[in-house]
Amino acid sequence: MNTATAMAEVTGCIDAYFTAADGVTQLRSHAQSYPLKIAKTFPFSGGQLGVYIMDASPGIMAGDRYELIWRFGEETNVHVTNQSYTKVHPSHKAGWDAPRPSAQLQKLELGRGAYVEYMPEPLMLYQDASFRSETAVELEPGSSLMLSEIVCPGRTHRGERFRYARYQNALTVRRDDELIFSARQRVEPQLETPRSMGRWDLYTHLGTLYLFSERADAPLVEGLRERLNGFAPASGADMELYYGVSLTYKHGLAVSVLGYRVGDIQELLDEAWRYIRTEAFGKETLRVPK
């Protein structure tokens, strides 16, 4: 078996369990397999535990299947991120009999009173990539989850814009066994271009920030809209963004944004994250070292 074939068959997993006592959150136990690992945990301000995921491979290769299971016990306070972009490599190459799609499956379970920020770096879809992402969330009453995602159309500096084969994304959220949110997306640029009216128009990058919590209400949404409408980037540069803030069916809000540059989207979603932290939860602004 050659090296390329071996890499294509790699599967990585993380299974982590967090507990809290006396206001201190700790990683009680975890299992992991190459190429995924929890690089390290750090104490953040306000008793929050910072958790960094590391991928020791060049990215998600053809045929890879990543599985990440996160269990957050009662009153835990955790911020989860990774060290760099999630890069999805081509799922088909010359000489292969058939494509080998890759996948990432995530499950988050939040106990009563848990507060979790799950905010990975952007997803980069290379040319000919075929990728399926599924995230299932289970919330107990009193728990809160902030979840973000940014999707890039390819390596734009190399002329890759929507040259991947397929991108599928599914998110389901249950609170106390009741389904409160479900979203599905499927993009196949070679069959129908995303850059059209009624889809992404001329924009190239998509970002989303969700809050699932009993604290997601109309006043929070209105305040967040006002904050984002008055937002100016630190660089002082003009940002061409199309965004909106809305309540979900129950116990949730969503910030969705389209743009041309990943940095612009990150700045806007970071501003929304900071506002929600302070206004809804009374937490101070957090700077996450990378």
Side-chain angles (χ1 to χ4, degrees), residues 23-290:
V24 177
T25 298
Q26 63 178 338
L27 175 60
R28 175 57 62 89
S29 63
H30 74 285
Q32 58 194 26
S33 66
Y34 178 87
L36 296 180
K37 65 178 293 186
I38 294 178
K40 199 167 185 180
T41 62
F42 293 89
F44 288 166
S45 61
Q48 192 168 32
L49 184 69
V51 179
Y52 290 80
I53 307 168
M54 185 176 77
D55 186 343
S57 75
I60 299 179
M61 313 301 290
D64 275 358
R65 177 186 172 96
Y66 285 5
E67 295 185 355
L68 299 94
I69 301 173
W70 305 92
R71 292 167 291 152
F72 304 97
E74 293 186 6
E75 302 299 330
T76 50
N77 184 1
V78 184
H79 180 103
V80 181
T81 188
N82 52 359
Q83 295 181 321
S84 62
Y85 283 35
T86 296
K87 297 174 282 290
V88 184
H89 288 255
S91 296
H92 188 266
K93 294 183 179 180
W96 291 5
D97 294 334
R100 295 187 291 182
S102 51
Q104 178 170 273
L105 311 178
Q106 302 178 109
K107 184 174 183 180
L108 289 76
E109 300 176 357
L110 279 68
R112 191 176 297 271
Y115 174 85
V116 177
E117 297 172 344
Y118 197 83
M119 307 183 70
E121 291 291 311
L123 176 72
M124 177 76 72
L125 297 160
Y126 285 9
Q127 180 174 337
D128 296 323
S130 182
F131 181 65
R132 175 171 56 91
S133 174
E134 295 184 8
T135 303
V137 179
E138 296 183 7
L139 305 171
E140 290 190 9
S143 62
S144 299
L145 170 68
M146 265 199 282
L147 175 70
S148 73
E149 180 180 55
I150 298 175
V151 181
C152 304
R155 293 168 289 187
T156 54
H157 63 284
R158 298 180 57 172
E160 288 183 4
R161 287 180 175 85
F162 299 110
R163 298 180 68 178
Y164 55 86
R166 177 185 297 171
Y167 170 62
Q168 292 176 267
N169 185 19
L171 170 63
T172 58
V173 182
R174 295 182 179 273
R175 179 184 178 275
D176 205 20
D177 293 328
E178 177 190 6
L179 181 64
I180 62 170
F181 185 83
S182 179
R184 292 179 179 273
Q185 183 181 39
R186 177 170 172 161
V187 183
E188 295 183 79
Q190 311 315 313
L191 298 182
E192 185 174 2
T193 176
R195 303 187 76 181
S196 59
M197 292 295 291
R199 300 181 67 120
W200 292 13
D201 200 2
L202 297 179
Y203 296 101
T204 53
H205 295 66
L206 171 66
T208 311
L209 175 69
Y210 295 104
L211 169 67
F212 298 106
S213 171
E214 297 162 8
R215 305 189 189 194
D217 56 19
L220 182 63
V221 166
E222 289 303 316
L224 181 54
R225 283 181 185 145
E226 291 182 12
R227 178 69 165 264
L228 296 182
N229 288 340
F231 173 67
S235 63
D238 293 333
M239 295 195 302
E240 297 182 71
L241 299 174
Y242 182 73
Y243 63 88
V245 185
S246 61
L247 287 171
T248 62
Y249 160 66
K250 184 182 287 187
H251 303 305
L253 68 80
V255 181
S256 299
V257 55
L258 290 165
Y260 298 104
R261 297 187 297 264
V262 67
D264 293 346
I265 294 176
Q266 283 179 313
E267 281 200 56
L268 186 81
L269 294 184
D270 282 350
E271 184 70 7
W273 164 58
R274 287 189 290 267
Y275 181 86
I276 293 171
R277 275 181 62 95
T278 56
E279 296 299 317
F281 298 96
K283 296 180 180 293
E284 62 185 55
T285 300
L286 176 65
R287 182 182 178 277
V288 180
K290 290 291 182 77

